Amino acid sequence: MKSKGLSSLVSIVVIAVGLLAATIAAGNKPLLGLDLKGGAEVVLEPVDDSGLSGSDLDDALDQAAEIIRNRVDGLGVAEPDITVQGQRIVVQLPGIDDQERALEIVGQTAELRFRPVLDVISEGSIEALASAGESTDGGSTDGGSTDGGSTDGEATPEPDGTPTAEVTPDGEATPEPEGTPAAETTTEPEATPEDGATRQATTPDAEATPDAETPAADETPSAEETPAAEETPPAEATPEDANLLGPVGDDSPYDGPFDCNPNPLRTDEMVSRVELGEGIVTAPADDAACDIVILTGQFGDETFHWLLGPTLLTGSSLDGATSSFQSIEYVVRPTFKGGAEGIDKFNEAATACYNQSTDICPSGQLAIVLDGTVVSAPNVNAPVFDRDQITISGSFDQQEADDLAVVLRYGALPLRFKDPAEGGFVRVVSATLGKDSLRAGIIAGLIGFAIVALYMIAYYRLLGLAAILSLLVSGSLLYTIVSFLSETRGLALTLAGVTGLVVSVGTSLDTNVVYFEHLKETVANGRTLRSSVDRSFPVAFRTIFWANLASLIGAAILYFLTAGSVRGFALMLGLASILDLVATYFFLRPVVRLIAQRSSVVERPGLFGIPADLVTSGQEVTAR
Amino acid sequence: MSGFSNAYRNNTNVNFPRMWPRAALVIGALLLISVVALLVRGLNLGIEFEGGAAWEVDAHGVSTAEARDALRPLGLADARIQTGDDILRVRAELDQSDQKVDEVSQALSDLTGTPLDEVNQTVVGASWGDEITKKAVRALIVFFIVIAIYITLKLEWAMAVAALFAVANDIVVTVGIYALFQFEVTSATVIAFLTIMGYSLYDTIVVFDKVKDNEGRLAATGKLSYPGLMNMSLNQVLMRGVNTTVTSILPVLSLLLVGSLILGAVTLQEFGIALLIGLLSGALSSFFIAAPVTVWLKERFDSRYAEARERAVARAGGTKEAREAVRSQVSSVEDAKAQLQGPDADFGTGGAPRGRKQGKRR
């Protein structure tokens, strides 16, 4: 019995101290909520017209949150926190202290742009280049492409050609299971193999061929020269130089200035450098500002880079989009608005791409760009379309088709949201005031703790000391858990949470008070201190257990049925209730028992806050 | 022995039933004031519930009048402007006009000399609060139902009803004080209300657990009246209640104190006031609401105790005066204890007490 208590005591102390030390050593600490560290908070509430409910709505909200998260991440906001709470999306942007900027970041409408594809640069080609000479050809690269062939098959960045799809007038969709860029153009009689070959020779795979017979190999860094390439002239080239450099890759589809690069390299050089993995990619945020951009898109496991021309039309030309299953595959059907700003604009772009106009759209592909990311780059298979008779196909699976339709329909978000200033919530907290609140909370907590500790020790003496130690044990466990949840789940400690913790200092001592009072009563009833210690605990613990269970039920209800700060409070309340029980059972019980073993204490019950005469008066009861 | 000395020895002998009628008057008066305040003055709902825009900025000695003058060109001369703790607070019925919201921030920054990025601003849509309120009310209803079921299963239905009465009282009184003094209700306040609810309930369950425990052992005797049983239990948990309340209130007082000393910690102060009132009310309501309501229900709906009471009245003469006397007259705690616990009474296991003595009055 004694050793059992002792082992639980030792374990809990070791666990509590160990976890606390590990938490501190790992640098984990509770994340601070916006009200404590400053920043902006925007709450988005969906407009009720989506017709979605239940799990569909939840899915849509999750999807929207994910899209917003990507957007915010792309903009480089530090530690953003985007969560779905109930039927709202809460976006917290620490460090953003201007409301307009916050709204801009969260943005009601994503930027959907249609840009012509000038060139496709696949990740695969970068790998191929990197492994040049060692013919250990990454499985992802088409084996044939490394031999520098210019047969149209190799133009495909990826064998299954996911990055590209095709746009066809309704009913003419000729599903191309392979969906390779080259294969698609072949649906058009004009796209003769020769044509294809010349153009496709310009595609990255051809260019990236290790034994690059690129005409200007001396200027374009080859794979072998990679290290040096970083310091070589191209980087220093002035704008004039750039223009004077003349056509380097005369097979390049586009060799005009690359306007979104700090160093005015020519575009083909940019392409080469991207292929070298030097990461010269337009920041998604610059998508709107630049004409010629290099953007990425994720297809399957591969990241592709695309060299894209100026925006031909934006999402505002679109009216809607649906996805459906057509004959053998899933397709997406966008609908454009009528008139000059709608279908006419699209047709203008379609004509240019269909004709593979060298100036505008040499590849014949029209990329759909969302927030600076290429979501699809279908080939255009007709010069003119009716506004509601358009099909995008490209061996999509159902999910891909749905996602693309969502992107086209809503620009970005699968739901429409109310203007945050009308139906939602925008808050900007200055970092100074936040820090003041945090400081006040911590000081109040420490003072409160000190006073309570004095009171407990004055009233219960050694027992009071044990109670304070027990509080420290549960406190360090709580700190560990909160830090861990902060680290893994993004749980942030808000002012409400801090104050909740301050209050819990007092209430969690109740467990001890109930026990000690019961102990005193049992002693008064004539029992010895030692047997009272053992007998009182189960009774007191049972009471505390049932009372804490009620708190826990309350916390759970609040947690699941409310949102925002109330939720954070409920979590703290629940955690504190559980840890209170843990610390009482595994720490307080053995500690009190251990103290009661010492004869010096038994002789002087005053050390337990039990008046010596109480023991006698208990005996008087017996005598009566 | 002095009162403290007795209390320290857990040797109190307070006659709670005799205090109940007077307590009921006080509680009734408080409830009346609360309800009237709520109906007449209403709650001063914060921006989160009403929508609009609000700013907070270090005042640096700027007065409300100066602030009003500065905001007049923006058409916001009628905005609600307050200063306190050298913090200037402005609230206006602005909604979507982001332009103006930023203009006000700029104006306040210029006026007070506070950098723009240290101006707190909040804009809340009008429908936001409805949603919060709806959710909170729904959560509350579920909470009450589940807790009622829980107490009924764990203890008994009369106690469930009584506990909810006590909790409801605490909430009404706290909310009433907010209405009376027009404290602003924010989401921090809502959390304070919830804390109070949790605390009140917890406190009541601890008391009732004791009653149930004593009743289990008393059932064999059938002698002690329910008020007597309740009184004894209340005396047994009295010091625990006092100590728990003290340890809970001390940190809250420190919250209030620090909140008032440190600028900008207004939320802490509001939170502190709500908690202070609520914790006191929660501690008292266990003794003065939950307990008498349980007694009342038990004596009406539990035939055992109804009969015990009638027998006592009959023994005392059966007159109206006798009835009164029985109501306020509870055997002393000493007697009850002696009756319940012999020298070897096993307090821990709830086993049948031995060495019982007959109470004098029974």
Side-chain angles (χ1 to χ4, degrees):
Chain A
M1 201 61 174
K2 181 189 167 189
S3 65
K4 188 184 152 203
L6 204 71
S7 66
S8 98
L9 174 64
V10 171
S11 336
I12 187 119
V13 171
V14 167
I15 290 172
V17 174
L19 285 178
L20 187 64
T23 300
I24 293 168
N28 285 2
K29 53 177 185 266
L31 283 180
L32 297 181
L34 277 192
D35 48 0
L36 296 179
K37 80 177 157 191
E41 179 178 59
V42 179
V43 180
L44 296 171
E45 190 174 290
V47 178
D48 295 330
D49 67 354
S50 63
L52 294 173
S53 61
S55 64
D56 284 348
L57 182 59
D58 291 345
D59 287 349
L61 283 166
D62 286 341
Q63 208 173 349
E66 185 61 36
I67 291 166
I68 294 172
R69 189 171 300 131
N70 289 338
R71 188 180 311 160
V72 173
D73 282 346
L75 292 171
V77 176
E79 292 183 37
D81 181 36
I82 294 107
T83 48
V84 177
Q85 294 183 355
Q87 296 193 353
R88 292 192 161 100
I89 295 178
V90 178
V91 184
Q92 301 203 318
L93 307 167
I96 303 292
D97 45 22
D98 147 19
Q99 171 170 328
E100 223 163 302
R101 170 87 178 123
L103 286 176
E104 192 182 291
I105 288 172
V106 174
Q108 287 301 84
T109 47
E111 291 252 82
L112 185 64
R113 299 171 170 272
F114 292 79
R115 287 176 177 272
V117 174
L118 302 179
D119 207 343
V120 186
I121 316 155
S122 85
E123 197 91 296
S125 64
I126 295 172
E127 283 167 23
L129 201 63
S131 60
E134 295 142 39
S135 79
T136 49
D137 196 9
S140 59
T141 330
D142 188 348
S145 68
T146 45
D147 55 29
S150 56
T151 56
D152 55 13
E154 275 82 64
T156 323
E158 252 289 62
D160 64 1
T162 21
T164 47
E166 53 185 36
V167 182
T168 44
D170 244 12
E172 285 174 33
T174 35
E176 195 65 56
E178 284 305 299
T180 64
E184 280 152 2
T185 56
T186 60
T187 58
E188 295 306 319
E190 298 95 303
T192 62
E194 290 78 28
D195 278 345
T198 40
R199 283 190 200 97
Q200 281 131 20
T202 71
T203 58
D205 282 311
E207 272 192 349
T209 316
D211 47 333
E213 318 107 348
T214 19
D218 51 333
E219 284 182 48
T220 318
S222 72
E224 290 78 10
E225 292 164 5
T226 314
E230 278 161 29
E231 300 103 41
T232 46
E236 291 148 18
T238 64
E240 299 86 79
D241 289 337
N243 291 334
L244 293 171
L245 281 172
V248 180
D250 53 9
D251 55 350
S252 180
Y254 179 86
D255 53 8
F258 179 69
D259 69 343
C260 262
N261 183 50
N263 300 314
L265 300 182
R266 269 199 337 270
T267 303
D268 51 356
E269 288 167 345
M270 296 308 308
V271 170
S272 302
R273 300 192 91 193
V274 169
E275 286 166 352
L276 286 168
E278 291 178 14
I280 301 174
V281 175
T282 312
D286 291 336
D287 177 28
C290 303
D291 276 348
I292 309 297
V293 293
I294 295 180
L295 295 173
T296 59
Q298 187 83 28
F299 296 93
D301 297 334
E302 296 260 318
T303 303
F304 292 88
H305 294 72
W306 314 73
L307 179 66
L308 303 173
T311 305
L312 297 178
L313 67 156
T314 65
S316 60
S317 300
L318 273 165
D319 196 31
T322 55
S323 60
S324 60
F325 189 76
Q326 187 174 293
S327 48
I328 62 154
E329 62 173 356
Y330 284 94
V331 297
V332 179
R333 299 155 159 275
T335 313
F336 282 86
K337 290 174 185 157
E341 283 302 306
I343 187 65
D344 292 357
K345 255 191 174 173
F346 176 72
N347 276 336
E348 212 174 291
T351 308
C353 284
Y354 176 75
N355 295 330
Q356 304 191 341
S357 145
T358 328
D359 297 342
I360 304 170
C361 188
S363 66
Q365 286 173 249
L366 188 60
I368 301 170
V369 180
L370 176 71
D371 280 335
T373 301
V374 178
V375 289
S376 183
N379 272 46
V380 179
N381 286 356
V384 176
F385 294 82
D386 288 336
R387 57 176 281 273
D388 53 357
Q389 301 288 308
I390 304 168
T391 305
I392 303 176
S393 61
S395 45
F396 299 126
D397 62 23
Q398 188 176 1
Q399 187 64 49
E400 287 164 350
D402 287 349
D403 289 351
L404 182 56
V406 162
V407 163
L408 292 172
R409 192 163 25 174
Y410 297 108
L413 307 176
L415 289 166
R416 282 208 305 131
F417 289 93
K418 292 178 188 166
D419 183 339
E422 279 172 57
F425 185 104
V426 190
R427 185 169 63 149
V428 180
V429 183
S430 97
T432 330
L433 285 184
K435 270 179 215 143
D436 279 351
S437 298
L438 179 62
R439 196 161 52 109
I442 290 173
I443 294 176
L446 290 179
I447 294 178
F449 181 79
I451 300 174
V452 165
L454 283 179
Y455 180 83
M456 286 297 284
I457 292 171
Y459 200 92
Y460 292 112
R461 311 295 160 87
L462 278 181
L463 291 180
L465 191 63
I468 297 304
L469 290 176
S470 166
L471 195 61
L472 288 178
V473 167
S474 64
S476 64
L477 288 175
L478 188 64
Y479 185 85
T480 303
I481 293 177
V482 171
S483 302
F484 179 76
L485 289 178
S486 283
E487 207 68 23
T488 56
R489 304 286 303 277
L491 171 84
L493 198 56
T494 59
L495 191 56
V498 171
T499 38
L501 287 178
V502 170
V503 173
S504 78
V505 167
T507 44
S508 67
L509 278 173
D510 182 62
T511 315
N512 309 287
V513 173
V514 170
Y515 177 29
F516 300 159
E517 286 300 322
H518 202 284
L519 181 62
K520 203 184 262 188
E521 201 175 299
T522 314
V523 169
N525 281 327
R527 292 220 164 255
T528 66
L529 189 59
R530 270 179 205 164
S531 82
S532 300
V533 163
D534 283 341
R535 281 167 182 277
S536 288
F537 187 81
V539 186
F541 189 74
R542 196 199 52 196
T543 302
I544 290 310
F545 178 80
W546 293 115
N548 265 323
L549 192 59
S551 295
L552 212 54
I553 292 173
I557 292 171
L558 289 181
Y559 186 82
F560 288 111
L561 292 184
T562 60
S565 53
V566 176
R567 227 174 161 200
F569 163 79
L571 187 67
M572 290 298 159
L573 180 68
L575 274 178
S577 295
I578 294 172
L579 290 177
D580 181 26
L581 288 177
V582 168
T584 303
Y585 195 84
F586 293 106
F587 183 84
L588 188 71
R589 184 185 57 137
V591 159
V592 172
R593 193 185 286 163
L594 213 63
I595 303 174
Q597 306 282 351
R598 305 190 62 89
S599 54
S600 57
V601 174
V602 176
E603 282 155 20
R604 288 190 294 159
L607 289 175
F608 259 27
I610 299 173
D613 62 288
L614 204 60
V615 183
T616 348
S617 92
Q619 277 148 9
E620 274 166 25
V621 173
T622 323
R624 234 199 289 184
Chain B
M1 272 192 280
S2 72
F4 173 76
S5 174
N6 269 330
Y8 191 55
R9 286 164 177 75
N10 252 347
N11 202 14
T12 53
N13 191 1
V14 182
N15 189 337
F16 284 102
R18 195 180 287 163
M19 293 162 76
W20 285 340
R22 261 173 293 164
L25 282 181
V26 176
I27 291 164
L30 276 177
L31 282 178
L32 191 69
I33 293 171
S34 298
V35 171
V36 169
L38 263 176
L39 292 179
V40 176
R41 309 197 67 167
L43 283 173
N44 173 14
L45 291 177
I47 185 174
E48 287 145 274
F49 298 95
E50 288 203 316
W55 296 262
E56 259 184 16
V57 62
D58 282 338
H60 295 300
V62 171
S63 73
T64 49
E66 287 168 311
R68 200 171 294 282
D69 287 342
L71 294 180
R72 189 160 287 132
L74 293 168
L76 291 173
D78 57 343
R80 209 185 303 175
I81 302 175
Q82 298 173 309
T83 46
D85 292 344
D86 204 38
I87 299 267
L88 183 67
R89 282 183 200 80
V90 178
R91 199 169 141 192
E93 303 278 313
L94 284 184
D95 41 19
Q96 69 276 64
S97 168
D98 293 342
Q99 192 67 36
K100 215 168 208 176
V101 169
D102 288 335
E103 283 172 17
V104 173
S105 295
Q106 186 63 54
L108 290 174
S109 163
D110 294 346
L111 180 68
T112 60
T114 309
L116 187 58
D117 61 5
E118 286 183 15
V119 177
N120 268 11
Q121 71 184 39
T122 309
V123 182
V124 184
S127 63
W128 167 251
D130 295 347
E131 179 78 15
I132 288 194
T133 316
K134 231 187 290 169
K135 264 194 183 147
V137 168
R138 192 182 55 174
L140 262 185
I141 293 172
V142 174
F143 177 84
F144 271 79
I145 293 172
V146 173
I147 290 298
I149 294 172
Y150 173 77
I151 300 180
T152 304
L153 291 180
K154 180 69 192 73
L155 301 165
E156 56 185 293
W157 70 266
M159 291 179 175
V161 172
L164 294 188
F165 253 97
V167 172
N169 167 77
D170 300 335
I171 296 294
V172 171
V173 168
T174 317
V175 172
I177 284 172
Y178 264 75
L180 192 63
F181 295 106
Q182 291 289 298
F183 293 146
E184 189 171 299
V185 177
T186 62
S187 53
T189 319
V190 173
I191 287 174
F193 291 162
L194 294 171
T195 309
I196 290 161
M197 250 173 55
Y199 177 82
S200 169
L201 202 66
Y202 178 100
D203 198 63
T204 306
I205 290 178
V206 169
V207 173
F208 281 172
D209 195 62
K210 192 71 179 174
V211 177
K212 203 69 188 162
D213 190 44
N214 286 334
E215 190 189 12
R217 272 175 281 142
L218 192 77
T221 76
K223 289 284 157 49
L224 196 57
S225 69
Y226 203 81
L229 170 73
M230 181 63 82
N231 191 40
M232 185 189 82
S233 309
L234 291 181
N235 272 287
Q236 284 172 341
V237 296
L238 178 61
M239 278 322 288
R240 170 260 150 197
V242 170
N243 280 340
T244 300
T245 308
V246 169
T247 54
S248 305
I249 281 180
L250 284 177
V252 174
L253 282 176
S254 118
L255 209 60
L256 264 176
L257 184 75
V258 174
S260 66
L261 290 180
I262 293 190
L263 304 180
V266 190
T267 321
L268 289 182
Q269 261 177 304
E270 293 171 355
F271 203 83
I273 293 169
L275 281 175
L276 189 66
I277 298 162
L279 291 180
L280 279 173
S281 174
L284 291 175
S285 68
S286 302
F287 283 75
F288 296 103
I289 295 179
V293 169
T294 309
V295 169
W296 188 82
L297 286 171
K298 288 292 273 190
E299 289 205 323
R300 252 152 210 75
F301 298 101
D302 191 326
S303 56
R304 263 187 312 164
Y305 294 108
E307 284 163 17
R309 178 193 170 95
E310 287 313 311
R311 275 202 305 274
V313 173
R315 267 202 306 278
T319 62
K320 201 179 171 208
E321 289 73 36
R323 193 170 289 274
E324 278 303 312
V326 167
R327 186 180 300 160
S328 60
Q329 184 184 69
V330 175
S331 59
S332 79
V333 174
E334 285 299 317
D335 286 344
K337 273 189 183 168
Q339 195 179 40
L340 197 57
Q341 313 147 358
D344 300 322
D346 189 341
F347 231 117
T349 59
R354 285 164 287 160
R356 206 181 299 126
K357 282 210 281 183
Q358 290 292 321
K360 283 175 205 151
R361 293 186 188 82
R362 267 144 254 259

